[in-house]
Amino acid sequence: MPIALVVHGGAWDIPDDEVAPHRAGCRRACDAGWHVLQAGGSALDAVEAAVRVMEDDPIFDAGTGSVLNVDGIVECDAAIMDGASLRSGAVAAVQRVRDPIALARRVLASQVVLLVGAGAERFADAAGHPRCAHTDLIVPREVVRWHDVRARLAHQPRQAFERPLGEVAGRGIVAGPMGTVGAVALDAAGHLAAATSTGGTGNKPAGRVGDSPIVGSGLYADDETAACSTTGWGESIVRVVLAKTATDLVGRGMAPAAAAGAAIEILARRGGGLGGCILLDRGGRVGYAFNTPRMAHAYRCGDGPVVDGI
Ligand code: GLY
């Protein structure tokens, strides 16, 4: 069975001066996941390794470097799913965790599927999972963006000020990052896995949870069809259950490239949203699509080289 791995580093209007670090970060993440697969590791371990690299890379909206919420702090969502068992683990609105995907992996090994906020943090502490300071996750770039967004939204009605930035952007009021990172993998045993991690949307309300930790929306993996990770405006992605929509299209016989395109068309037409997805089927065929100006991504299949794009 050929091994394969795809990663994304967010679909949005990535500025020109951030293109090179986004591409390089995706390549590093792809390399990390690939080493796991090449050594005979599982697809689950590979997607976790790839996403952890991007959570640690401050260029991405996940872990360190995440966008700031309305209170000016980082709150993260992450999920991981095993295509063999359909088991998943997720955390949402979690604070002071550098590697939310690793915490989600611990949830996967537990009896529940999703822990949020203070409960997720208590679970982390009980498991001895490392915590950090709020300030460890905040980078100067996002502080500047946060002040900029708040200054611009100060002239909008109060309800606009409190909306997640992605939704505001969808109404043409202001544009901004709608990042997120993710990975899908196929291991030598023929198993698929998916993982997604995000700081969400800029200036989001405290406690706002997007699509990323929601099975079927932010990710899906089923050994009988495909694995998918999504990125973009979470509120619209949830409307069309984007990841399950994409993998179902593969299940109905579509090639991953066509299925990814069709899923993003549904996101735009029925969900009214912007975003992207990466898709990998059980034969190791890759698909990806986005309706944003850019989506950072990289992939590697079988004996081929790493391919990156944006
Ligand atoms: N897609 C990430 C979010 O909306 O939170």
Side-chain angles (χ1 to χ4, degrees):
M1 181 66 69
I3 56 175
L5 183 100
V6 194
V7 305
H8 71 77
W12 58 290
D13 193 4
I14 298 168
D16 289 346
D17 64 347
E18 292 185 24
V19 164
H22 270 82
R23 293 180 80 133
C26 284
R27 286 185 83 93
R28 276 194 298 274
C30 199
D31 285 345
W34 191 258
H35 285 139
V36 172
L37 293 175
Q38 218 172 20
S42 70
L44 262 184
D45 285 343
V47 293
E48 181 184 350
V51 166
R52 283 182 75 156
V53 167
M54 292 188 279
E55 288 177 335
D56 281 345
D57 187 335
I59 197 69
F60 297 113
D61 176 20
T64 305
S66 289
V67 299
L68 308 185
N69 75 1
V70 73
D71 296 327
I73 59 173
V74 167
E75 245 179 25
C76 291
D77 306 332
I80 188 164
M81 183 165 183
D82 173 28
S85 63
L86 303 185
R87 286 173 60 92
S88 60
V91 292
V94 69
Q95 298 180 8
R96 298 193 300 111
V97 175
R98 282 185 199 277
D99 50 1
I101 199 65
L103 189 56
R105 181 76 187 265
R106 287 186 191 267
V107 175
L108 184 147
S110 78
Q111 298 300 310
V112 299
V113 295
L114 170 62
L115 289 170
V116 304
E121 290 156 18
R122 200 190 304 175
F123 173 82
D125 292 339
H129 194 89
R131 304 288 302 284
C132 62
H134 286 295
T135 48
D136 292 337
L137 303 177
I138 297 174
V139 299
R141 177 196 69 229
E142 294 306 328
V143 176
V144 170
R145 275 191 181 134
W146 184 77
H147 282 294
D148 181 50
V149 166
R150 292 178 70 85
R152 282 189 278 165
L153 292 182
H155 304 296
Q156 302 295 334
R158 180 163 176 76
Q159 58 270 37
F161 186 77
E162 291 182 341
R163 256 181 227 133
L165 182 54
E167 186 170 350
V168 176
R171 287 161 194 257
I173 297 171
V174 64
M178 293 191 297
T180 289
V181 305
V184 291
L186 174 69
D187 64 28
H191 298 307
L192 289 162
T196 305
S197 181
T198 188
T201 49
N203 200 46
K204 65 185 180 181
R208 177 265 188 189
V209 175
D211 59 301
S212 301
I214 309 297
V215 167
S217 291
L219 77 170
Y220 201 73
D222 182 347
D223 280 4
E224 294 189 357
T225 56
C228 180
S229 171
T230 70
T231 166
W233 175 16
E235 280 71 12
S236 63
I237 289 171
V238 167
R239 282 178 205 141
V240 299
V241 201
L242 184 61
K244 185 68 162 72
T245 295
T247 58
D248 279 353
L249 289 171
V250 174
R252 280 186 236 137
M254 250 188 207
I264 295 302
E265 188 276 326
I266 292 169
L267 171 68
R269 183 170 49 81
R270 298 292 296 127
L274 300 169
C277 67
I278 54 173
L279 199 50
L280 183 62
D281 76 2
R282 59 186 179 160
R285 296 184 300 171
V286 171
Y288 60 88
F290 49 100
N291 62 2
T292 47
R294 286 171 168 152
M295 180 178 79
H297 61 278
Y299 61 89
R300 190 165 179 181
C301 308
D303 297 328
V306 181
V307 178
D308 71 59
I310 195 156

